[in-house]
Amino acid sequence: MKLYQDDKRFFAGDSDNPEAYIHFEKFGDDKLIVDHTYVGESMRGQGAGKQLVEAVVNYAREENKKIVAHCPYTRDVLTNNEEYHDVFIGIHTS
């Protein structure tokens, strides 16, 4: 899956109507808050969600930032994969 990046998300497909995306906000100088992950029906079951989380993890590492997960899917992926714990600092559930 080919991913693209803009200021606040990684996405697949057209930027105006992406087939899949993960949205994040920069918080301070050292954090990214991931608040939403979306995968359209045509891409479900192909690992697209995990690829989007991996893209944010790699971006966080490159930018020396930590991730706070507001999104339940992202929280589950980060919690259940030890290799992401270096950038995952917490969750928010509200």
Side-chain angles (χ1 to χ4, degrees):
M1 174 174 78
K2 173 79 172 151
L3 292 179
Y4 302 95
Q5 180 183 1
D6 62 23
D7 289 343
K8 296 184 177 187
R9 65 187 176 152
F10 287 91
F11 62 94
D14 181 63
S15 65
D16 293 328
N17 189 22
E19 298 172 53
Y21 66 88
I22 190 165
H23 183 268
F24 60 88
E25 294 283 342
K26 295 176 182 174
F27 186 75
D29 292 332
D30 61 346
K31 291 178 193 69
L32 300 174
I33 297 175
V34 177
D35 58 7
H36 189 68
T37 304
Y38 168 79
V39 177
E41 264 190 60
S42 67
M43 299 191 80
R44 291 187 185 154
Q46 301 174 38
K50 187 165 183 192
Q51 288 180 45
L52 291 164
V53 172
E54 288 174 354
V56 170
V57 166
N58 290 335
Y59 177 70
R61 287 176 177 150
E62 290 168 8
E63 298 295 318
N64 198 29
K65 296 186 183 298
K66 301 293 183 180
I67 299 171
V68 177
H70 287 217
C71 167
Y73 176 79
T74 300
R75 177 196 63 222
D76 290 347
V77 172
L78 294 174
T79 299
N80 294 320
N81 290 282
E82 244 181 76
E83 67 266 25
Y84 301 149
H85 288 183
D86 63 312
V87 294
F88 179 48
I89 60 169
I91 60 173
H92 177 67
T93 55
S94 67

